[in-house]
Amino acid sequence: QYKFIFDEGGNKKIKHTIKLNNKFNKNLKKLFNNYNISIDFNNFEKKNTSNKVKDNLSKNSIKLINDYYKDDFKYLNYKFFQ
């Protein structure tokens, strides 16, 4: 995913990124407000299922994910699966 956001030199190619985390709605509202875009956020529901998914992965699967997506974790400042 990082290849869509950063060039070969590690420079950001786009202006905005928003992570799907507990601040998602707040950050999305801020971005929309910067561009005078009106949207009703009351109809959005965010469900966090990351722990459920992680609990069902084997240690080998977690290692494969961490290895395959290591640059995504690095450039996008995410924590590796434990």
Side-chain angles (χ1 to χ4, degrees), residues 20-72:
L20 294 173
N21 60 21
N22 61 346
K23 297 179 184 177
F24 174 74
N25 281 355
K26 178 182 174 184
N27 292 333
L28 189 61
K29 284 180 190 179
K30 184 178 176 181
L31 176 64
F32 280 18
N33 284 338
N34 287 345
Y35 290 96
N36 294 317
I37 299 171
S38 178
I39 189 166
D40 181 9
F41 285 90
N42 294 322
N43 294 326
F44 291 99
E45 180 180 351
K46 179 183 174 292
K47 294 183 181 182
N48 185 348
T49 59
S50 61
N51 290 335
K52 294 177 187 177
V53 171
K54 191 173 76 171
D55 290 344
N56 290 316
L57 294 173
S58 69
K59 288 182 182 181
N60 187 52
S61 295
I62 291 172
K63 182 182 178 333
L64 289 171
I65 291 168
N66 285 336
D67 289 346
Y68 189 82
Y69 293 105
K70 69 182 174 199
D71 289 329
D72 286 342

